Amino acid sequence: MRNLFLPPIVWCFSILAMLMMHEYAPLVHAEPNALRTAIGLFLIFLASVVTIWHKKLFRKLKTNINTFSKPDVLVEEGLFRYIRNPMYLGFLISLAGLALLGGAFSPWLLVFVFFVLADRWYIPYEEREMSERFGEQYKQYRQRTRRWI
């Protein structure tokens, strides 16, 4: 059952829901705008780079990427040097880019829902697992590295 709630699956459902909200319940729809479109596309591109880069990093380090699996490596490379959750940040940035592209307010609600889900469920779960597995090493990492930007 937890596999249905893995971040990439929730992210995909969020995209579908955003598209449906944009189409059927747009709430304050803005006119098309070239600057907003360019920023939205740039954010989606940037988020894709961040997410793919860190997925490949996990593969290179031979550690699991599944939120609900036990961690085997404390990753401190890539953007993990600066923030503890670059992959969640990538998901959020891509959702924000999509919301910008659409120009309606309602899809932003799903950006917020994904943020709350990540910040209050996924990340605390992972942090408990990392604390149990890596103890003092993870505590020090948390002290010197921000959760978000």
Side-chain angles (χ1 to χ4, degrees):
M1 181 67 171
R2 275 189 173 167
N3 286 341
L4 284 176
F5 294 102
L6 288 172
I9 293 171
V10 172
W11 175 76
C12 288
F13 279 116
S14 297
I15 290 172
L16 290 173
M18 288 172 79
L19 295 171
M20 292 181 72
M21 289 176 85
H22 174 74
E23 184 66 28
Y24 300 109
L27 295 179
V28 189
H29 192 275
E31 292 300 315
N33 175 300
L35 179 61
R36 190 181 68 240
T37 300
I39 293 170
L41 289 171
F42 174 75
L43 290 176
I44 292 168
F45 172 76
L46 178 66
S48 299
V49 168
V50 167
T51 305
I52 292 167
W53 170 22
H54 290 88
K55 182 178 180 179
K56 286 182 178 184
L57 177 61
F58 272 48
R59 259 196 216 130
K60 177 184 140 196
L61 296 174
K62 295 183 175 133
T63 187
N64 76 68
I65 198 167
N66 186 324
T67 298
F68 301 115
S69 295
K70 297 286 184 194
D72 15 56
V73 174
L74 177 56
V75 179
E76 297 184 60
E77 296 178 35
L79 292 179
F80 283 99
R81 287 182 211 132
Y82 310 105
I83 59 172
R84 295 193 310 261
N85 300 288
M87 295 169 86
Y88 290 119
L89 184 62
F91 285 142
L92 283 166
I93 290 172
S94 67
L95 292 175
L98 183 61
L100 269 177
L101 279 177
F105 175 74
S106 51
W108 285 98
L109 298 173
L110 286 159
V111 177
F112 177 73
V113 167
F114 192 90
F115 171 77
V116 170
L117 192 60
D119 194 61
R120 299 294 171 208
W121 185 34
Y122 294 138
I123 294 170
Y125 179 85
E126 290 177 356
E127 288 182 339
R128 281 190 305 275
E129 294 293 320
M130 298 293 279
S131 290
E132 284 179 25
R133 172 74 166 89
F134 300 106
E136 185 62 29
Q137 183 184 5
Y138 184 67
K139 181 180 176 184
Q140 290 175 8
Y141 173 71
R142 282 183 66 179
Q143 288 174 343
R144 70 177 178 271
T145 311
R146 300 172 68 115
R147 177 182 270 187
W148 296 103
I149 296 175

